[in-house]
Amino acid sequence: MYFALGTVVSFLINYFFISSQNIGLDIYYAVAFGSAWGIAYYLDTPDFTLPQKLGLSFVAMGILVLAGTLIFELKLAVPSILKFSTVFVAYYLIASFRGNKSLRS
């Protein structure tokens, strides 16, 4: 749910307000944004240790860059890492203000 909602909202914002003139790139960046929210929500459980959370987020960023490099080129794929890591950190920053340190409950 977080993935789908994040992807749709990010795409609509990029498409209507930023308008990069490349709809494929807008979709790619929206998927990076949505996947960051989805993965952060998925990992937001005590079942995962901090090293596991970091490791899985780095794997996801690697997959994003690899896919972006294959579809576009490296200089267009790198901003997806910035979007992913910013959203991922923002999720846990917001969660840190809660008493139970989680947005799930």
Side-chain angles (χ1 to χ4, degrees):
M1 181 173 81
Y2 274 73
F3 168 74
L5 186 61
T7 301
V8 169
V9 169
S10 177
F11 175 75
L12 292 175
I13 289 170
N14 283 335
Y15 186 75
F16 289 114
F17 297 110
I18 298 171
S19 184
S20 71
Q21 305 300 324
N22 185 343
I23 197 160
L25 194 59
D26 289 341
I27 292 170
Y28 172 68
Y29 290 153
V31 168
F33 187 91
S35 64
W37 277 111
I39 291 171
Y41 181 79
Y42 172 73
L43 295 175
D44 189 15
T45 176
D47 297 338
F48 293 101
T49 65
L50 182 59
Q52 288 173 325
K53 290 177 184 181
L54 291 172
L56 289 172
S57 70
F58 282 127
V59 168
M61 285 189 282
I63 292 169
L64 280 171
V65 169
L66 181 63
T69 303
L70 293 174
I71 297 169
F72 304 106
E73 56 187 25
L74 184 60
K75 74 178 184 177
L76 295 175
V78 169
S80 69
I81 296 173
L82 300 175
K83 291 178 187 298
F84 183 95
S85 60
T86 301
V87 171
F88 197 81
V89 169
Y91 181 94
Y92 283 103
L93 179 67
I94 293 167
S96 72
F97 291 113
R98 296 198 53 186
N100 62 357
K101 306 294 184 214
S102 175
L103 294 180
R104 275 192 163 205
S105 54

